[in-house]
Amino acid sequence: MPVDFRVGHGYDLHRLEERPPAGRGRPFVIGGVTFEHDRGPVAHSDGDVLMHALTDALLGAIGAPDIGQLFPDNAPENEGRDSRAFLEEAVRRVRAAGWTVGNADMTVICERPKMGGRKAEVVASLSHILGVPATDLNLKGKTHERVDAVGEGRAVEAHVVVLLARTRP
Ligand code: MG
């Protein structure tokens, strides 16, 4: 039976500030996993860049409105919101349109903290939400070589590419 494919791309960046009271940084959460860090994202929601990039990649693949359109950053209900809700809505739309996630390749870029030892935890967290095997999700951690905002520890960013598949009716 013929199979259709869709690719989706997502990108996100959040500014990092010191944790209160010195700054407005929220806890540093990546893919639903909290990392120990003296800085955290400044965001309306919980500022989980990886979850946001993955959500946008899924929404983009099916031609749906993007995360900012579905969950405006001036809406009171999204204040401090767990980004899991955004990702769950994207997954719901993907499934409703008959698509399944083939794989996702993800990159998180920040100077600190290091993703290294906790990659499996992040992948497991996303695997659970997406309902796809961890072996179909890949996560890379990179630094920005100490240059520009990300390299100076003032921002964190994430890039995600997803592939969706659907059997042609
Ligand atoms: Mg964001």
Side-chain angles (χ1 to χ4, degrees), residues 8-29:
H9 166 259
Y11 166 79
D12 196 30
L13 176 147
H14 279 276
R15 192 169 76 249
L16 295 174
E17 282 190 9
E18 285 181 83
R19 303 295 312 285
R24 290 180 298 152
R26 293 184 182 276
F28 195 99
V29 180

Side-chain angles (χ1 to χ4, degrees), residues 1-86:
M1 241 184 313
V3 177
D4 289 330
F5 297 99
R6 288 283 181 87
V7 68
H9 166 259
Y11 166 79
D12 196 30
L13 176 147
H14 279 276
R15 192 169 76 249
L16 295 174
E17 282 190 9
E18 285 181 83
R19 303 295 312 285
R24 290 180 298 152
R26 293 184 182 276
F28 195 99
V29 180
I30 294 288
V33 174
T34 304
F35 286 75
E36 201 59 47
H37 193 33
D38 57 357
R39 290 174 164 246
V42 176
H44 185 66
S45 70
D46 68 0
D48 188 330
V49 276
L50 181 55
M51 206 92 86
H52 294 178
L54 180 54
T55 298
D56 254 348
L58 291 168
L59 293 171
I62 60 169
D66 66 34
I67 190 172
Q69 291 173 291
L70 292 180
F71 306 101
D73 65 4
N74 52 11
E77 71 268 22
N78 295 329
E79 166 79 38
R81 192 155 175 198
D82 185 337
S83 296
R84 179 182 299 256
F86 308 152

Side-chain angles (χ1 to χ4, degrees), residues 90-103:
V91 169
R92 192 193 66 72
R93 285 173 180 247
V94 162
R95 288 200 186 123
W99 296 99
T100 20
V101 177
N103 76 304

Side-chain angles (χ1 to χ4, degrees), residues 21-169:
R24 290 180 298 152
R26 293 184 182 276
F28 195 99
V29 180
I30 294 288
V33 174
T34 304
F35 286 75
E36 201 59 47
H37 193 33
D38 57 357
R39 290 174 164 246
V42 176
H44 185 66
S45 70
D46 68 0
D48 188 330
V49 276
L50 181 55
M51 206 92 86
H52 294 178
L54 180 54
T55 298
D56 254 348
L58 291 168
L59 293 171
I62 60 169
D66 66 34
I67 190 172
Q69 291 173 291
L70 292 180
F71 306 101
D73 65 4
N74 52 11
E77 71 268 22
N78 295 329
E79 166 79 38
R81 192 155 175 198
D82 185 337
S83 296
R84 179 182 299 256
F86 308 152
L87 184 54
E88 283 170 349
E89 173 60 15
V91 169
R92 192 193 66 72
R93 285 173 180 247
V94 162
R95 288 200 186 123
W99 296 99
T100 20
V101 177
N103 76 304
D105 193 20
M106 309 173 281
T107 305
V108 172
I109 311 166
C110 60
E111 225 52 28
R112 283 181 307 126
K114 297 286 182 206
M115 295 297 110
R118 301 189 67 193
K119 272 190 199 174
E121 234 180 299
V122 174
V123 165
S125 159
L126 297 173
S127 160
H128 182 71
I129 300 168
L130 293 176
V132 304
T135 46
D136 292 334
L137 304 176
N138 186 61
L139 175 64
K140 300 181 291 292
K142 293 184 72 70
T143 72
H144 211 271
E145 292 291 323
R146 288 189 278 164
V147 297
D148 297 336
V150 173
E152 290 163 7
R154 295 186 287 115
V156 55
E157 66 181 7
H159 301 258
V160 174
V161 175
V162 296
L163 184 75
L164 304 184
R166 179 170 73 176
T167 304
R168 197 174 297 162

